[in-house]
Amino acid sequence: MDRFVIQGPTRLEGQLAVGGAKNAVLPLMAAALLSRGESVIDNVPDLQDVRFFMTILEGLGARCQLEFNRLRIDTTDLDSHEAPYDLVRKMRASIYVLGPLLARRGEARVSLPGGCAFGPRPVDLHQKGMRALGAAVDEEHGYIVARAPGGLQGGRFRFDPVSVGATCNVLMAAVLARGESRLENCAIEPEVTQLVAALVRAGARIEGVGTRTLQVQGVDSLKPLDDAVIPDRIEAGTYLAAAAVAGGRVHLEGVRQDHMAPVVAVLRDLGCDISEQGDGLTCERRGKLQPVRVETQPYPGFPTDMQAQVMAAAALADGVSFITDTIYPDRFTHAAEMVRLGANIEVKNGTATIIGTERLQAAPVMASDLRASAALVLAATAAHGITEVRRVYHIDRGYQSIEERLAALGARITRQSE
Ligand code: EPU
């Protein structure tokens, strides 16, 4: 297992190009199952989660090739409808194959994803949504077994709460269902909207792109996808937050300003200077950080996937910050690790109270999930001394070569194999 060794404190200075969004490419990869032939997806980041999803698709009989950020998925020889436990337990997003398999093959067997490092993550809406489209859905021996032997039938479904994954999954099933479907209270995260737009380009008939109500007229078949993944707003936000935590100036190229607005607003509240130029975004922190009040919300609210990184900045702010995660009230495993770095954080009832400190100190810490790990790496760049961040495989799932990118900005970080 690899770990990062980080010597702090360092200021960060320089520029980076943002990669394609992990959470956008995964549903697109699943959507490739909806058609027969070769889908081509560009701007695909070479991440562990992407490689992993390729394994799932290959297990279903698809052929996948990722070269120079272009991913080809050939579904001509699809011959299975099962996503087994050993794969699904490693990546929850595997559940994305449920809708496409059910729609295309009339049957899907997908292992229940099970627990998660940051608390319960139910998949009931995915199942209820498939039922609303006429499928029989049962849980058998740890598997979701969904059947629609005569094909899916259009239906009406309301997501409550708003769910990125369930919106994508049920929509992918609905586009090939007979007749009309109405999906209400849909997620409008940019990653979801990218999927909706990609399906429309492939021949799906969907009205309401980018809104909370999607009206779908089922079609008999779709063309393979031909798309390019949107920039990763969370990767971008993480490197901007790095400038806030460590101090300095980080310029990013290739962002979507509209997608960055909720994160930019909080970075400004923290006291950072943010400037926008075309698809470039610069974050500069000169003076002290200011305390913030942050509440995570579905898009266009502040993303739960940036909560931990902002906490690393709040740990060094001049005052008391409050961070509430309304999406995942238990997503605070990073708080206890940050305390090991000298941060002053108390978590109660889904809210972290962070009393800012002047100085963080190095300590060995352990990564528990993707964003928590990234936040620990940021905190370590500001901490005095040598910090070891263990279990960095979590980070590799969603950040391409984070240590090389931070090193290019001046961080003193190396990867070591244990
Ligand atoms: N929920 C239900 N029932 C369901 C599904 C969700 O009650 O069937 C609840 C969840 O418990 C949560 C809320 O709905 O309280 C929202 O969860 P959502 O379904 O939107 O999350 P997800 O689709 O499982 C995606 C991202 C996560 C990100 C969340 C929230 C992917 C692959 N994952 O998860 O990303 O935190 O949306 O924005 O897109 C990450 O990248 O680090 C990550 C965890």
Side-chain angles (χ1 to χ4, degrees):
M1 249 185 264
D2 291 359
R3 63 186 161 189
F4 288 148
V5 178
I6 301 160
Q7 160 110 52
T10 40
R11 280 171 62 79
L12 302 181
E13 189 86 43
Q15 92 170 47
L16 294 176
V18 177
K22 166 181 86 79
N23 290 347
V25 74
L26 300 177
L28 287 179
M29 290 173 77
L33 296 171
L34 288 167
S35 61
R36 190 164 190 278
E38 187 182 78
S39 284
V40 181
I41 311 174
D42 278 314
N43 198 32
V44 173
D46 195 345
L47 300 170
Q48 283 305 322
D49 272 9
V50 170
R51 294 276 171 191
F52 190 72
F53 211 95
M54 288 167 67
T55 314
I56 301 237
L57 295 179
E58 280 159 0
L60 298 169
R63 278 197 304 271
C64 303
Q65 191 191 30
L66 176 59
E67 251 178 18
F68 305 113
N69 300 109
R70 169 169 287 186
L71 174 61
R72 296 174 185 278
I73 302 170
D74 187 342
T75 59
T76 310
D77 299 324
L78 218 57
D79 60 359
S80 164
H81 57 260
E82 176 166 327
Y85 175 66
D86 273 341
L87 295 181
V88 179
R89 74 184 168 86
K90 294 190 191 141
M91 190 174 75
R92 304 182 57 82
S94 316
I95 192 149
Y96 275 142
V97 300
L98 182 70
L101 286 177
L102 185 58
R104 185 88 196 284
R105 300 180 60 92
E107 187 166 3
R109 235 177 93 81
V110 179
S111 171
L112 278 161
C116 169
F118 51 81
R121 291 180 69 185
V123 287
D124 57 309
L125 293 174
H126 299 245
Q127 302 181 58
K128 287 176 189 155
M130 301 307 161
R131 281 194 195 108
L133 300 178
V137 185
D138 295 298
E139 288 184 10
E140 295 172 7
H141 306 289
Y143 278 75
I144 301 171
V145 182
R147 298 182 185 91
L152 291 167
Q153 180 73 50
R156 195 178 176 134
F157 190 70
R158 183 178 175 81
F159 299 95
D160 186 14
V162 173
S163 161
V164 170
T167 301
C168 292
N169 222 343
V170 179
L171 176 68
M172 287 189 280
V175 292
L176 290 184
R178 262 193 320 277
E180 195 167 291
S181 298
R182 184 179 165 87
L183 306 182
E184 295 170 359
N185 204 27
C186 293
I188 52 169
E189 268 66 2
E191 296 76 20
V192 178
T193 301
Q194 157 133 76
L195 172 71
V196 183
L199 291 172
V200 169
R201 253 195 308 284
R205 291 179 56 196
I206 307 170
E207 273 173 37
V209 181
T211 73
R212 294 226 181 266
T213 302
L214 297 173
Q215 193 88 27
V216 184
Q217 192 67 50
V219 294
D220 290 339
S221 63
L222 291 184
K223 291 180 291 197
L225 305 178
D226 183 4
D227 259 282
V229 181
I230 55 170
D232 195 322
R233 64 195 167 104
I234 306 300
E235 184 195 32
T238 302
Y239 288 118
L240 297 176
V245 177
R249 187 172 177 278
V250 171
H251 176 75
L252 298 181
E253 281 297 326
V255 300
R256 279 278 304 261
Q257 306 289 2
D258 49 340
H259 298 170
M260 297 304 299
V263 171
V264 161
V266 169
L267 288 168
R268 285 198 168 120
D269 289 348
L270 279 162
C272 298
D273 289 336
I274 306 275
S275 53
E276 301 165 357
Q277 318 84 13
D279 68 352
L281 198 49
T282 309
C283 178
E284 180 165 14
R285 197 263 276 181
R286 275 171 291 194
K288 269 191 169 301
L289 289 163
Q290 298 306 309
V292 286
R293 273 178 193 270
V294 175
E295 194 177 273
T296 68
Q297 292 287 350
Y299 189 84
F302 182 82
T304 170
D305 291 344
M306 277 300 300
Q307 177 255 101
Q309 301 88 315
V310 163
M311 192 181 293
L316 287 163
D318 190 14
V320 184
S321 297
F322 300 92
I323 300 181
T324 304
D325 199 321
T326 67
I327 315 267
Y328 299 116
D330 298 321
R331 194 177 194 176
F332 286 115
T333 50
H334 44 281
E337 297 299 301
M338 285 183 193
V339 168
R340 293 179 48 71
L341 295 173
N344 198 334
I345 306 172
E346 200 178 277
V347 180
K348 229 183 194 167
N349 303 329
T351 296
T353 304
I354 305 120
I355 303 172
T357 175
E358 290 257 328
R359 190 181 154 106
L360 293 176
Q361 76 209 8
V365 289
M366 190 126 83
S368 54
D369 76 68
L370 171 57
R371 309 302 171 187
S373 321
L376 291 175
V377 169
L378 301 195
T381 61
H384 291 248
I386 297 177
T387 293
E388 273 185 22
V389 181
R390 301 195 183 164
R391 297 199 178 172
V392 301
Y393 60 85
H394 290 294
I395 304 193
D396 295 331
R397 295 182 58 168
Y399 293 89
Q400 198 172 329
S401 318
I402 193 172
E403 75 278 24
E404 287 168 24
R405 292 170 154 230
L406 287 172
L409 298 175
R412 279 173 283 171
I413 173 169
T414 53
R415 180 187 288 260
Q416 292 186 356
S417 296
E418 278 175 22

